[in-house]
Amino acid sequence: MSRKRNVILRADGNREIGMGHFMRCVSLAAMLGDNFHCRFAVSDPQKYHEDEVKRVNGSLICLPAGDEHFNTFLTIPSKGDIVVLDNYFFDTGYQKKVRDTGCSLVCIDDMHNRHYVADI
């Protein structure tokens, strides 16, 4: 039996702003779940984050609130993982740091306002 490859979905959102990023990743996980282990990395997750992650049979990685989440997240991916970044604050420099962990990088973008170093 082969082990499913990890997809780490990195998006934040709350009831006031950014929930579309998180829900887009939930939809992606629903499509990928049969073939990949979907892990959600969320800063300061709430009950509704937990409920949505459970609904798609994913697992939740709790990141701290505040700017610490950027560096904390960089300790999570490893070679062979696929990381999906979906938010406006993941700039080119941060994308490079994520790629330096040895993972494959996917960026979801609906503004196309910067240079991307993603694989997809």
Side-chain angles (χ1 to χ4, degrees):
M1 182 168 101
S2 66
R3 189 177 145 256
K4 288 183 180 181
R5 193 168 173 192
N6 283 323
V7 174
I8 304 170
L9 300 131
R10 178 70 186 97
D12 292 321
N14 58 45
R15 295 189 190 278
E16 291 146 16
I17 189 166
M19 190 53 103
H21 300 283
F22 177 75
M23 292 308 297
R24 186 167 34 217
C25 286
V26 169
S27 296
L28 182 58
M31 291 183 267
L32 298 175
D34 288 341
N35 298 304
F36 296 90
H37 179 228
C38 295
R39 303 173 68 202
F40 289 80
V42 178
S43 176
D44 192 28
Q46 305 299 309
K47 174 88 168 88
Y48 53 86
H49 292 107
E50 294 174 20
D51 293 343
E52 289 297 324
V53 169
K54 284 180 188 172
R55 188 175 61 80
V56 295
N57 296 315
S59 61
L60 184 62
I61 301 165
C62 300
L63 299 175
D67 286 346
E68 302 125 50
H69 70 85
F70 289 107
N71 287 331
T72 301
F73 179 74
L74 294 174
T75 67
I76 296 167
S78 59
K79 187 173 180 147
D81 289 343
I82 301 168
V83 170
V84 177
L85 297 180
D86 186 347
N87 219 315
Y88 303 131
F89 49 69
F90 300 128
D91 63 16
T92 305
Y94 191 73
Q95 293 172 42
K96 288 178 183 177
K97 289 178 183 179
V98 172
R99 294 266 326 264
D100 287 346
T101 67
C103 68
S104 298
L105 180 61
V106 176
C107 288
I108 298 176
D109 170 32
D110 59 359
M111 294 183 66
H112 195 65
N113 62 349
R114 65 180 55 125
H115 177 73
Y116 288 85
V117 295
D119 296 294
I120 298 173

